[in-house]
Amino acid sequence: MATRSRRPERRQEPLSRERIVEAAVELLDTVGERGLTFRALAERLSTGPGAIYWHITGKAELLTAATDAVVAAAVSADPADPAGTADPADSPQDAIRAVALGLFDATEAHPWLAAQLATQLSRSPWGTVAPRIFESLGRQVRAMGVPEADWFTASSALMHYILGAAGQNTANSASAGPSGHGDVDRDEFLDTVSTAWEGLDPEEYPFTRAVADQVRGHDDREQFLSGITLVLAGITALHRPGR
């Protein structure tokens, strides 16, 4: 008697938008945006594409939902306090640093995120992603005592710095990796940059030559936080009480 071949067992949990988005993030992390197809997603979820379309209308909505999910987790987490034991009396500046580091770490953990953030903020700033980031920063700007007339400018400066620096860090990591420069690792890449800057014309590039050695071995995360401190110091200095 011939035995029937067993079909792959389908997952028993009911399909939901949350499960679909979670699987989409996993696919984006492993195969990138090009590899995120409804067929690949259906295989990962052990379901049919039609079931996914019941919850998500198309790839654009799927990318937006995946981006929003990662951003929501990033702005609500404290990278220095994963256990959630932070003192609620921490300053607004500390809260802004936590949001900034959350987004910075998220762009490192999800290489596709920086490009999607740029897309979401430029093409659909009325969606969920931009307001989520803006709200997480703006509440703390308000708590710093910044006058209401300057809330938008101060919060925008923070958001632009955070996303710009995090995005550039992602691009640098990609350039220093195997896909950008063969087998050159980060330290070798930075040493190449430093050496090139040191060889510039001293009359045309005196400053760049002077800081060239500082490029070697610098810590991207620490540099990023130093930039946040500079922006916050500027906001505080401009909006001191009685100024």
Side-chain angles (χ1 to χ4, degrees):
M1 181 177 178
T3 57
R4 295 182 180 179
S5 60
R6 296 184 59 184
R7 294 181 179 180
E9 293 184 3
R10 290 177 178 267
R11 296 181 63 177
Q12 298 301 313
E13 310 93 76
L15 189 64
S16 64
R17 182 182 175 90
E18 290 72 23
R19 272 189 59 206
I20 293 170
V21 171
E22 180 182 355
V25 171
E26 292 171 358
L27 274 174
L28 284 165
D29 288 346
T30 55
V31 298
E33 182 181 341
R34 289 187 178 181
L36 178 63
T37 65
F38 273 58
R39 175 176 292 182
L41 193 57
E43 291 178 0
R44 194 175 193 89
L45 291 166
S46 298
T47 188
I52 298 175
Y53 279 111
W54 182 263
H55 299 275
I56 302 286
T57 60
K59 187 170 181 177
E61 182 183 348
L62 185 59
L63 286 168
T64 299
T67 303
D68 188 52
V70 172
V71 167
V75 300
S76 63
D78 184 348
D81 182 45
T85 58
D87 186 347
D90 284 348
S91 69
Q93 289 87 341
D94 289 334
I96 287 173
R97 290 187 183 93
V99 169
L101 277 178
L103 290 168
F104 182 87
D105 291 344
T107 58
E108 282 206 321
H110 308 282
W112 53 272
L113 182 61
Q116 278 304 310
L117 283 171
T119 298
Q120 298 296 331
L121 270 60
S122 62
R123 296 183 182 177
S124 55
W126 49 81
T128 55
V129 176
R132 192 182 297 281
I133 298 173
F134 209 72
E135 183 71 21
S136 65
L137 296 170
R139 290 186 184 187
Q140 304 308 325
V141 166
R142 180 176 60 188
M144 288 172 62
V146 174
E148 184 174 356
D150 298 306
W151 287 353
F152 177 75
T153 299
S155 300
S156 295
L158 281 165
M159 185 166 76
H160 291 322
Y161 170 76
I162 291 169
L163 298 184
Q168 185 61 52
N169 180 68
T170 300
N172 291 345
S173 297
S175 295
S179 62
H181 292 274
D183 296 324
V184 177
D185 64 16
R186 179 179 181 278
D187 288 339
E188 292 176 344
F189 177 73
L190 293 179
D191 184 67
T192 300
V193 175
S194 297
T195 301
W197 285 13
E198 288 168 343
L200 292 171
D201 187 317
E203 294 186 3
E204 190 172 359
Y205 301 100
F207 177 81
T208 304
R209 282 171 53 92
V211 300
D213 188 56
Q214 297 178 28
V215 174
R216 290 188 176 91
H218 77 271
D219 187 290
D220 292 325
R221 211 164 183 262
E222 289 182 3
Q223 186 183 54
F224 174 75
L225 271 180
S226 295
I228 292 292
T229 298
L230 286 172
V231 178
L232 289 174
I235 293 173
T236 302
L238 285 172
H239 303 296
R240 288 194 304 267
R243 182 177 174 82

